[in-house]
Amino acid sequence: MTQTPNYTLGRGKIYFANYLTGTSTPGPWRYIGNTPEFSMTIESDKLDHTNSDEGINEVDDSVPLSVTRSSSLVCDDIQGENVALFFYGSTSILTTASSTGNSEDFDGVETDRFYQIGLTLTNPVGVRGVTTVAVVSNPSGTTYVLGTDYKVDLARGMIEILTGGTLAAGDDITVTYDVVGTTQDVILSGSEPVAGALRFLEDNPRGKNRDAFLPYVKISPNGDMTMKGDEWRQIPFSLEILKPSTAEAIYINGQPVAV
């Protein structure tokens, strides 16, 4: 009987599930987006035994000592959750309540420099989403002119002091502003790889489809995430494929066929 060759051009989608808090049970699965590259690597160490009674040494037995399973993938869907994985971090939604009549003093300002509103130790990013911004001299209260003396990035809460206006280097100013009620996604870096489970569901243009299930992986960054350039941004990851105490490290399943 002639065996039909299974030449395969690999394609498929990758899903990741964080473990539920305090457990090794995967939570809901998240499609991590387009992945131009995905591969798995297995390396093993073994101890050989040689017979040296006569002639040249001959290996007559071999015992495996360890096996290391790993994977690498590249993702170009720059979801917040994927960026957080790259930084060992987490995502959250920050809700800011609206407020009016806020003010902040800046002493001895410099021209052609930018100043962040609301910068504190507890809020190192500063206030974002401001409106009704006014800049006056302190203490005389002279009102400076927007576009002549300063510019404002309302979304980021940054003020640029311009050269050539009434506002001069070394002046003390007071900035008054309102804050718009907003929500924004926040990514905070961490220091530990994220543990969870991974599924690779094949959809090959050529070749039999098989799905891979990895019940225990740890994801770490693996290279550069280019922040500026002329190519699509990509996020490279490496994965430790680990063996849970109650399961195997890798499961490969073909597509079910009715009988």
Side-chain angles (χ1 to χ4, degrees), residues 95-128:
T95 300
T96 302
S98 61
S99 61
T100 59
N102 304 284
S103 67
E104 184 173 353
D105 295 332
F106 295 91
D107 296 333
V109 297
E110 300 178 46
T111 56
D112 292 328
R113 294 294 184 270
F114 295 80
Y115 292 85
Q116 175 65 54
I117 298 172
L119 193 64
T120 65
L121 291 177
T122 56
N123 184 14
V125 175
V127 173
R128 299 162 70 84

Side-chain angles (χ1 to χ4, degrees), residues 117 127 129-130 151-160:
I117 298 172
V127 173
V130 299
K151 291 182 179 179
V152 181
D153 184 336
L154 296 174
R156 297 177 174 87
M158 294 186 70
I159 295 177
E160 178 186 4

Side-chain angles (χ1 to χ4, degrees), residues 190-202:
S191 57
E192 293 291 336
V194 177
L198 183 141
R199 289 185 184 275
F200 175 54
L201 307 184
E202 285 196 324

Side-chain angles (χ1 to χ4, degrees), residues 130-154:
V130 299
T131 186
T132 321
V133 175
V135 178
V136 300
S137 62
N138 185 6
S140 64
T142 300
T143 300
Y144 294 113
V145 179
L146 177 64
T148 299
D149 299 310
Y150 66 95
K151 291 182 179 179
V152 181
D153 184 336
L154 296 174

